[in-house]
Amino acid sequence: MMGMVAAITARDLKLAMRRQADIVSVLFFFIIVASLFPLGIGPEQDLLRKLAPGVLWVGALLATMLSLPKLFADDFRDGTLEQLVLAPQPLGLTVLGKVLAHWLVSGLPLALLAPVLGLQFDLSSDALLVLTVSLLIGTPALSGIGAIGAALTLGLRGGGVLVSLLVLPLYIPVLIFGAGAVDATVAGLGAEAHLSILGALAIGGVFFAPWATAAALRIALE
Amino acid sequence: MNNRLINWFKYASPQSFYPLAGKMIPWFTALAVIFGIAGLWIGMAVAPTDFQQGEGYRIIFIHVPASWMSMFIYLVMAFWAALGLAYNTRLSGMMASALAPTGALMAFLSLWTGALWGKPMWGTWWVWDARLTSELILLFLYIGFIALQASIDDPRRADKAGAILALVGVVNIPIIYFSVKWWNTLHQGSSVSLTKSPSMAMLMLWGMLLMALSFWMYSIAVSLIRARSIMLERERNTEWVKDVLAGEGK
């Protein structure tokens, strides 16, 4: 069972590494969005420090969302997806493998990049650490929930915009607790409560989302 | 037992549900009008002026029923969606897509009347209160559902994809509600408290209940009308639709 997950993840990672430009462009999108905010708001350090958790988390949310349509689109176009659906292994596990791979090439780099951007916003080292941890915990949930949206909009016109309409409202709890964890650290309160709930959301999302995604994929391929 | 089963499944086919819906629509419309007139009469004429809020409070007779219906319709929609996925009935999907615009309308009405009420009462059109925010997110969920169905050409796929989205949404609504609520208590910026509502006079409660019933009946009537149109559109190549259209053309 786990062999299937590992095989799919390895395959998707290999494909992703052959198109590194896709990964890098998502990261640069994140960097640009985060840099636009100080330009729009003004360079006051106090204000930026206050805005940083929200801005960085929303940036990460949007960057994750941008990479979602690619999750199934290529496999759908060349027919691989149909073979995967026909495979005897449960489709949910296949999706789990793809979600893991998506996280490894989008969520993980975003989380590792975020502290660098946080420095631009003058966050303290504690807050930077919590920002990274919260993104590490929260982004798997984003990949999982996003997979549902990606599967529902597979092969539709205007897929990219549609994904954002479907997925962003569902991302709100993750955003609240992710940015809240950093906020709480900045305010001097502990971040444990936020991080625990974020962890619960991530576990729930990664556990249940693949099955909903599998159902959506079956409908898309009918 | 046998009889009952047959009766239920008989109306699961658009062909037999179409005339039934046609017969039910006038009744629900009449009930909506009657309850509406009674509710408005109590609300606007009989109920006393609120000693704190003056006449402005009377907007709750629209606002509260609209909020209730916006949430209730999403549940009904998810129910039809689940039924459609489980039994693969065509009618369930049609009902779900017929309900969505009414639900979105109710969510919008609730936000709009809330803003109109908030301006004189709180001095602001909008606060990031937990209830307001979750109502806004509910509106987004409706819009997402409608947008998804609108962009899928094959109606059967549209039904099923919409059904999955509605079910995912219904699982998420409590999570969203509680996270927004907690977020709101952490950022206690404004001192407005919606949760401590003053005890309400009996007459006001009656007015609100009557209005809620009226909105409920209205929603049923409108969704049935919409469902009938959807049936005709989707089944336009079948014999029974041709019969219906020929009958109406006479």
Side-chain angles (χ1 to χ4, degrees):
Chain A
M1 283 293 178
M2 283 301 120
M4 176 72 175
V5 179
I8 294 282
T9 311
R11 169 186 172 272
D12 273 23
L13 281 181
K14 191 182 267 176
L15 286 177
M17 290 321 283
R18 291 191 179 154
R19 281 207 202 144
Q20 291 167 353
D22 286 358
I23 308 175
V24 177
S25 56
V26 167
L27 289 181
F28 268 98
F29 173 82
F30 181 43
I31 296 173
I32 290 175
V33 167
S35 316
L36 283 181
F37 276 90
L39 295 174
I41 292 163
E44 293 89 2
Q45 298 258 300
D46 287 339
L47 190 61
L48 287 181
R49 208 177 299 126
K50 242 184 164 166
L51 288 174
V55 167
L56 292 174
W57 254 94
V58 170
L61 225 70
L62 294 177
T64 311
M65 209 195 63
L66 269 189
S67 58
L68 281 177
K70 284 197 295 261
L71 188 54
F72 299 113
D74 288 340
D75 286 348
F76 179 59
R77 218 173 294 125
D78 65 10
T80 315
L81 199 59
E82 264 176 66
Q83 302 304 318
L84 289 174
V85 171
L86 291 174
Q89 282 83 6
L91 184 55
L93 288 182
T94 310
V95 173
L96 182 62
K98 293 185 86 65
V99 167
L100 273 181
H102 179 260
W103 178 71
L104 285 173
V105 295
S106 75
L108 184 63
L110 287 177
L112 298 179
L113 189 65
V116 183
L117 296 175
L119 282 177
Q120 289 188 317
F121 286 80
D122 195 31
L123 283 178
S124 67
S125 53
D126 283 351
L128 288 177
L129 181 68
V130 172
L131 176 70
T132 315
V133 172
S134 71
L135 278 169
L136 279 177
I137 301 177
T139 40
L142 300 185
S143 295
I145 299 168
I148 303 176
L152 284 174
T153 56
L154 198 57
L156 301 182
R157 58 199 134 75
V161 184
L162 198 58
V163 165
S164 55
L165 269 183
L166 304 187
V167 160
L168 284 181
L170 302 176
Y171 276 176
I172 287 169
V174 181
L175 169 69
I176 287 176
F177 292 111
V182 189
D183 262 338
T185 316
V186 172
L189 311 161
E192 287 86 359
H194 284 90
L195 291 179
S196 306
I197 294 185
L198 202 58
L201 288 175
I203 292 169
V206 172
F207 185 79
F208 289 111
W211 304 103
T213 311
L217 282 178
R218 287 219 165 84
I219 291 168
L221 288 173
E222 238 170 39
Chain B
M1 155 93 191
N2 225 356
N3 257 340
R4 236 163 122 200
L5 271 180
I6 289 168
N7 276 339
W8 280 114
F9 283 107
K10 181 183 169 198
Y11 291 112
S13 102
Q15 184 179 359
S16 50
F17 187 69
Y18 182 86
L20 177 73
K23 270 180 228 146
M24 288 189 324
I25 287 168
W27 289 99
F28 283 114
T29 314
L31 282 174
V33 172
I34 294 167
F35 284 131
I37 290 174
L40 281 179
W41 178 66
I42 291 185
M44 298 297 156
V46 180
T49 308
D50 190 85
F51 78 101
Q52 262 183 331
Q53 309 184 354
E55 300 289 351
Y57 89 93
R58 289 184 199 276
I59 207 160
I60 64 158
F61 293 113
I62 303 289
H63 175 70
V64 175
S67 317
W68 282 346
M69 285 316 296
S70 68
M71 292 176 247
F72 182 60
I73 289 178
Y74 201 92
L75 287 181
V76 178
M77 209 172 84
F79 164 78
W80 283 116
L83 213 62
L85 277 185
Y87 290 108
N88 208 9
T89 43
R90 279 171 299 167
L91 189 61
S92 314
M94 297 181 190
M95 286 305 289
S97 27
L99 280 164
T102 308
L105 172 75
M106 290 293 169
F108 176 75
L109 259 185
S110 148
L111 288 169
W112 192 257
T113 52
L116 289 180
W117 181 85
K119 187 64 187 167
M121 299 305 156
W122 302 337
T124 169
W125 297 107
W126 181 262
V127 290
W128 286 97
D129 172 86
R131 286 197 204 184
L132 276 72
T133 314
S134 30
E135 187 73 30
L136 183 67
I137 297 168
L138 185 64
L139 178 64
F140 292 160
L141 289 176
Y142 275 121
I143 304 274
F145 180 88
I146 297 172
L148 178 65
Q149 291 215 319
S151 63
I152 305 180
D153 291 326
D154 172 22
R156 298 291 290 148
R157 186 185 165 191
D159 281 349
K160 288 183 177 175
I164 289 185
L165 185 67
L167 289 177
V168 170
V170 99
V171 171
N172 267 283
I173 280 176
I175 301 176
I176 292 175
Y177 178 74
F178 282 108
S179 49
V180 168
K181 196 169 169 179
W182 203 31
W183 162 78
N184 183 252
T185 46
L186 282 176
H187 293 251
Q188 199 48 272
S190 58
S191 56
V192 177
S193 166
L194 269 174
T195 37
K196 275 179 257 150
S197 57
S199 59
M200 208 180 284
M202 212 48 203
L203 263 178
M204 296 182 193
L205 195 63
W206 270 110
M208 225 158 73
L209 285 178
L210 283 171
M211 285 307 286
L213 278 174
S214 164
F215 273 49
W216 196 353
M217 299 300 128
Y218 162 83
S219 306
I220 295 177
V222 169
S223 329
L224 284 179
I225 295 174
R226 206 174 284 124
R228 260 163 70 101
S229 314
I230 295 174
M231 279 178 224
L232 287 187
E233 194 186 337
R234 287 199 190 167
E235 313 247 315
R236 59 182 173 274
N237 295 323
T238 58
E239 280 303 313
W240 74 267
V241 169
K242 282 176 192 147
D243 290 346
V244 166
L245 292 181
E248 278 172 10
K250 268 174 207 163

